[in-house]
Amino acid sequence: MEQRAGRGLLGIALALIVAITVTDIGIGTSVHLGPLLVIAPTLTASFAGPRLTAVVGALAQAALVIISVFHGGLTTTNHVAQLIALAVLSALVVFITYVRERRARELSRVRSVAETAQWILLRPPPRRIGPLRVAWRYLAAEE
């Protein structure tokens, strides 16, 4: 289910790149929608890892290059600034996604060690104490 949701969100990010590009080219040079392309890698970072986020960022960058070619070339100050800003933002989002994943892996390792230590320290009680039968169940506090 979660994987399907990720695919759906990836589809939305890619559709945004296409829609923004087509709309920007179609409405002419009076309005610049290219800066909205930052939405795609930012959205992707919310559900994907650094690799997929980088791919979407690169696709957004390519779309901005296409927009720039249609609206006066890559050498205009406005387009150069937009390309640099998108590249910097995409790189920053990829870095943040990498750090988030690294911390999640570290947290998973710490939880695994803690669970193992709990099981080692919590020996099961004897089945019988005198005439009484003993039943027990361990539930971790985190759950």
Side-chain angles (χ1 to χ4, degrees):
M1 181 75 173
E2 187 176 315
Q3 195 174 31
R4 196 177 344 173
R7 286 186 188 147
L9 290 171
L10 177 61
I12 290 171
L14 297 176
L16 279 170
I17 292 173
V18 171
I20 291 168
T21 304
V22 169
T23 304
D24 195 327
I25 291 170
I27 61 175
T29 58
S30 60
V31 177
H32 301 281
L33 298 179
L36 294 177
L37 288 168
V38 301
I39 297 169
T42 306
L43 173 66
T44 305
S46 71
F47 64 86
R51 286 186 186 142
L52 186 55
T53 302
V55 168
V56 171
L59 290 173
Q61 192 77 19
L64 191 54
V65 166
I66 292 169
I67 291 170
S68 299
V69 167
F70 275 92
H71 290 305
L74 294 171
T75 58
T76 65
T77 306
N78 184 32
H79 291 135
V80 169
Q82 288 180 25
L83 287 164
I84 291 171
L86 181 59
V88 168
L89 179 93
S90 294
L92 181 62
V93 168
V94 167
F95 175 73
I96 289 169
T97 305
Y98 168 77
V99 169
R100 181 191 68 209
E101 279 198 351
R102 193 179 85 213
R103 286 185 178 167
R105 284 191 306 270
E106 184 178 322
L107 179 60
S108 177
R109 283 192 304 268
V110 168
R111 283 183 175 165
S112 175
V113 168
E115 183 179 348
T116 302
Q118 287 171 357
W119 280 108
I120 289 171
L121 294 173
L122 294 174
R123 302 256 183 227
R127 292 193 176 268
R128 296 191 74 81
I129 299 177
L132 301 175
R133 285 187 349 186
V134 177
W136 68 285
R137 182 175 178 189
Y138 171 75
L139 294 175
E142 75 178 47
E143 293 176 6

